[in-house]
Amino acid sequence: MRRAPFARRLAALLAAALLAAFGLGGCQGSKGQETSAPPEKASSGIATKLSGPVEITFWHAMTGKHEEALRTIAENFTKEHPDIRIKLEAQGNYGDLQQKLTAAAKSHTLPVMAQVIETWVTDFRQNGLVADLTPYIENPEIGWNKQELDDIVEVFRKANQWDGKYYSLPFSKSTQILYYNTDYFQELGLQPPKTWDELKEAAKKLTGEKNGRRVIGMGFENSVGWQFHQWVKQAGGRYVDEATGEVLFDSPEGREALGFLVGLFQEEVARLAGEDQYVSNPFGRGDVGMYIGSSAGIPFVAKAAEGNIHWAAAPVPAGEEKAVAFAGNAVAVFDSAKPEEKLAAWLFIKYLLNTDNTVFWAKSTGYLPIRYSALETKEWQDYVAQNPAYGVGTRQFDYGFFDPRIPGFDAALKEIDKEIQAALLGQKSADAALRDAARAAQAAIDRAKERAK
């Protein structure tokens, strides 16, 4: 559950199995799910009123305090809607969740709704598994008006649209931010870097012996290859065309991006997390001066740094262009659910994503509020005033982007990550790694496209 790259790493191992299972299973929806009484329907064909109590299952990948917060929201919802019971069912991490959804699709036992990653939804949609939420959103009785829909942050809203329709809606969203050691920065008279050049200069100055400790200026997650699209876009390049599936990063801009990262490692002013798995641990010990990581990692950074260092966060430095990746997950309703179950799920989604609850969720978990109106609430503003790191991600909304939602993209990311790491560790030249990454990624996407036919 912790962070998107780890979730993606697990999920990628299952992507091929997902497609294969859909192909074998037929995926025509749950068996034996007949409505006991005809629901009242609007002109759009959806149920808009419940005829009695409804229980809906919600599969998720939340644990610890995140799961407690989700349970609180579900319990509060039931107080307002006593006819609807939300049955929360934890399925492990995102890899486990995807695997279980795959198995459930094959055996026609999908839950009513689940947490999903948008790249999964493309596969679900192609196989007729997820419900189109657009009729619910647009319904004048139970939906959102235009102002309410447009209140969802644009980059999140667009990430959940396919051909103008919504097959999922954003829930737990995160982005990349720069964490930095304020003790070291003050000692050296540094300001948070805003450009690649400033990042490199700060990494050089931060690297060295400090109080008997070997400090490396810049840290990267082991999964840095999963964020390579951000560096390519910042160099002014294109990554993968979502419309055609064409891999585009083996380009001058791609070489510039990888060359910049490789240069930091060759000058020995950057390192990966290594055995620590996440940079928050060496950063919290004072072994790393700064690093770029997920905003959802704020609680983990705070825990690692407590009693060791002082720290702060800032927007990700820009290259030729400003560009920052937004990740995280969404919620979807499966088409195999009964009409009244879909209605109950929609009403819960509306509640889950309202302004008050997105503020509560962001404060409880470290994820970002998904509504613009949430940023204007006194509760959120007071919280950010006391916890400034939580407000950094939202300052990057205007230049955020999301992954191409194409079959095979998770498998492609796995191949890219392997090659980028080989280049950073000096096991392969940057040009060779970029070429091999592009070829392997294209092959993964092409295989998935063939399976999807």
Side-chain angles (χ1 to χ4, degrees):
M1 183 279 298
R2 187 182 181 188
R3 301 173 203 178
F6 180 64
R8 283 197 172 287
R9 190 184 298 277
L10 290 171
L13 299 174
L14 302 164
L18 178 70
L19 288 169
F22 289 164
L24 291 172
C27 302
Q28 298 302 311
S30 299
K31 290 181 179 177
Q33 292 190 338
E34 298 178 357
T35 308
S36 57
E40 184 174 338
K41 294 185 177 181
S43 58
S44 59
I46 62 171
T48 57
K49 285 185 171 54
L50 300 176
S51 59
V54 176
E55 178 181 273
I56 60 173
T57 51
F58 179 15
W59 286 12
H60 63 86
M62 300 287 95
T63 58
K65 292 185 177 179
H66 296 64
E67 185 176 18
E68 291 175 15
L70 183 60
R71 195 167 300 283
T72 296
I73 294 174
E75 289 171 353
N76 289 339
F77 171 78
T78 297
K79 292 176 183 174
E80 291 191 13
H81 299 268
D83 282 348
I84 303 174
R85 177 173 177 259
I86 311 299
K87 188 178 181 183
L88 298 174
E89 295 187 350
Q91 302 298 321
N93 60 39
Y94 286 106
D96 297 333
L97 174 60
Q98 188 185 28
Q99 186 177 37
K100 291 176 182 178
L101 287 173
T102 301
K106 191 174 180 180
S107 61
H108 309 298
T109 56
L110 282 164
V112 172
M113 61 182 294
Q115 274 187 297
V116 294
I117 294 175
E118 286 87 345
T119 50
W120 304 356
V121 178
T122 298
D123 293 331
F124 293 154
R125 176 173 170 260
Q126 287 180 339
N127 288 278
L129 295 174
V130 282
D132 178 5
L133 297 175
T134 316
Y136 297 90
I137 294 171
E138 295 180 346
N139 187 280
E141 184 179 355
I142 60 170
W144 284 326
N145 60 37
K146 187 176 185 305
Q147 183 178 2
E148 290 173 312
L149 177 60
D150 289 347
D151 188 37
I152 294 179
V153 174
E154 184 178 18
V155 65
F156 302 152
R157 196 169 64 242
K158 289 184 174 179
N160 286 275
Q161 272 188 311
W162 286 259
D163 296 330
K165 296 182 178 179
Y166 293 92
Y167 288 87
S168 57
L169 286 167
F171 174 38
S172 301
K173 307 306 294 186
S174 59
T175 190
Q176 299 289 298
I177 60 177
L178 176 79
Y179 296 94
Y180 63 98
N181 184 315
T182 55
D183 299 325
Y184 294 160
F185 270 62
Q186 289 174 6
E187 179 182 333
L188 296 168
L190 292 171
Q191 295 296 317
K194 295 181 180 178
T195 67
W196 285 13
D197 288 342
E198 291 179 4
L199 178 72
K200 186 173 185 177
E201 287 304 306
K204 289 180 177 178
K205 292 179 179 177
L206 288 162
T207 299
E209 296 290 328
K210 298 186 188 306
N211 302 322
R213 179 189 298 277
R214 175 63 178 170
V215 175
I216 299 296
M218 182 65 191
F220 291 99
E221 301 287 11
N222 290 339
S223 56
V224 60
W226 296 73
Q227 290 99 42
F228 185 54
H229 50 176
Q230 181 169 288
W231 298 94
V232 174
K233 283 181 173 288
Q234 288 199 353
R238 298 182 65 195
Y239 198 60
V240 176
D241 189 308
E242 185 176 74
T244 65
E246 183 182 4
V247 174
L248 300 169
F249 62 74
D250 186 8
S251 63
E253 294 84 3
R255 282 185 281 281
E256 181 182 355
L258 186 54
F260 173 74
L261 297 176
V262 169
L264 295 174
F265 282 76
Q266 288 178 336
E267 294 190 45
E268 299 182 348
V269 297
R271 55 160 284 187
L272 297 176
E275 294 180 353
D276 284 288
Q277 298 299 317
Y278 294 101
V279 194
S280 54
N281 294 324
F283 176 75
R285 292 194 301 265
D287 295 344
V288 172
M290 57 182 173
Y291 85 97
I292 291 174
S294 172
S295 59
I298 290 174
F300 301 95
V301 170
K303 183 177 180 181
E306 187 174 4
N308 297 321
I309 66 166
H310 296 96
W311 62 281
V316 171
E320 185 76 18
E321 297 180 4
K322 286 186 174 181
V324 180
F326 279 76
N329 62 74
V331 285
V333 179
F334 291 99
D335 208 37
S336 52
K338 299 173 186 176
E340 292 196 41
E341 291 173 333
K342 291 179 183 176
L343 170 60
W346 162 247
L347 294 175
F348 179 57
I349 289 173
K350 275 184 65 180
Y351 185 80
L352 183 68
L353 306 184
N354 71 28
T355 299
D356 289 343
N357 280 324
T358 197
V359 170
F360 171 76
W361 185 248
K363 287 173 57 179
S364 302
T365 65
Y367 286 108
L368 301 170
I370 58 102
R371 287 192 173 277
Y372 292 116
S373 58
L375 308 184
E376 304 301 321
T377 63
K378 185 176 185 305
E379 182 180 4
W380 178 251
Q381 291 183 352
D382 287 349
Y383 187 74
V384 170
Q386 296 175 8
N387 304 275
Y390 283 78
V392 174
T394 63
R395 290 156 56 189
Q396 303 179 140
F397 280 159
D398 291 343
Y399 44 94
F401 68 91
F402 51 87
D403 288 338
R405 301 155 305 166
I406 56 176
F409 188 69
D410 281 340
L413 281 177
K414 181 184 176 186
E415 299 291 345
I416 295 166
D417 184 49
K418 179 177 68 178
E419 297 296 338
I420 298 303
Q421 282 205 39
L424 298 182
L425 297 174
Q427 299 166 349
K428 186 179 281 191
S429 73
D431 284 350
L434 194 68
R435 179 195 63 223
D436 292 347
R439 287 178 178 174
Q442 189 66 71
I445 293 169
D446 290 346
R447 285 195 298 272
K449 288 169 66 177
E450 283 299 313
R451 285 195 295 266
K453 287 182 179 177

